[in-house]
Amino acid sequence: VNIGPAMAGMTKVLRLFVIEKHSFVARDFFRGYRENFKKSLAIGLLDILVVFSAYASYNVYPYYAIKNENNLFYIPMIITLSLALIVFMMNYYIFPMLVATDLSLKNLIKNSFALAVVAIKQNIISTVFVLAFALLMFIVFLYTPPLFLILIAVFPMALVWFIVCFNSYPVIQKYVINPYYDSIGKV
């Protein structure tokens, strides 16, 4: 349940790094955690729901396809997993927009969906990096479990999310933040 607000706090700190501004890491983390608690909690719960739905889909539909000898059961699984991938890519944008703007939850979801579709190149780069890093951590786990236990506490999530913020924030700047300031006549 705490993953959404923690992601908001971490994103606040990493966004400041990406835009090359100073950050007091602990203070900015807890400020981002507090300021965005309600919206990020809802986003975190939605993410948990999507993960459980994708997991259930992956386990249930193939079972029924084999049991009933009907390959049509794979169609809902593919649809569910595709939607989960889209939601996964929406997270690249929803948390940075959450900490950088004052949009409503509805507009955050709408804009993150639009950006997930528009910026497919950045999404693929980020997703490949995330998957490669997850594979690397799995290999470290298999061959050196003590090193894995040391690294897993802080290193992987922050590094992966920094790369994601680095790839996604320019898109947010271009399509969300700059048009807002252009509409009110400011730079």
Side-chain angles (χ1 to χ4, degrees):
V1 172
N2 201 25
I3 190 72
M7 287 291 291
M10 181 173 62
T11 304
K12 182 168 182 75
V13 171
L14 295 176
R15 178 187 158 267
L16 291 171
F17 289 164
V18 167
I19 62 174
E20 298 178 7
K21 289 193 175 181
H22 178 70
S23 173
F24 291 107
V25 175
R27 186 185 73 189
D28 289 334
F29 173 83
F30 287 112
R31 182 179 293 154
Y33 184 97
R34 272 191 321 274
E35 290 173 353
N36 303 300
F37 184 80
K38 289 180 183 177
K39 291 179 189 174
S40 62
L41 180 65
I43 294 166
L45 292 175
L46 179 67
D47 286 344
I48 290 169
L49 178 69
V50 168
V51 167
F52 282 129
S53 296
Y55 181 75
S57 170
Y58 182 74
N59 286 317
V60 170
Y61 291 123
Y63 170 77
Y64 283 112
I66 293 169
K67 181 178 178 183
N68 296 330
E69 297 179 4
N70 186 354
N71 289 336
L72 291 178
F73 281 102
Y74 287 112
I75 293 172
M77 181 188 78
I78 292 170
I79 291 171
T80 305
L81 295 178
S82 298
L83 290 174
L85 181 63
I86 290 170
V87 170
F88 180 71
M89 290 182 186
M90 286 172 59
N91 276 293
Y92 298 163
Y93 301 99
I94 200 162
F95 284 105
M97 278 193 299
L98 176 68
V99 300
T101 65
D102 194 26
L103 295 172
S104 68
L105 186 60
K106 175 186 168 189
N107 287 335
L108 282 170
I109 292 170
K110 182 181 77 167
N111 286 349
S112 66
F113 176 74
L115 293 176
V117 173
V118 168
I120 195 72
K121 178 182 168 188
Q122 287 86 349
N123 297 339
I124 290 171
I125 291 169
S126 294
T127 303
V128 165
F129 180 79
V130 168
L131 293 175
F133 200 80
L135 179 64
L136 176 69
M137 289 305 294
F138 181 71
I139 291 169
V140 169
F141 172 72
L142 288 178
Y143 293 107
T144 55
L147 177 62
F148 174 79
L149 292 176
I150 293 168
L151 291 178
I152 198 70
V154 292
F155 182 66
M157 191 63 179
L159 177 64
V160 167
W161 201 244
F162 176 74
I163 299 296
V164 168
C165 287
F166 189 81
N167 281 340
S168 64
Y169 195 74
V171 176
I172 295 168
Q173 184 80 32
K174 179 179 178 182
Y175 290 108
V176 177
I177 295 173
N178 288 346
Y180 169 74
Y181 283 111
D182 289 344
S183 72
I184 62 171
K186 292 185 179 180
V187 177

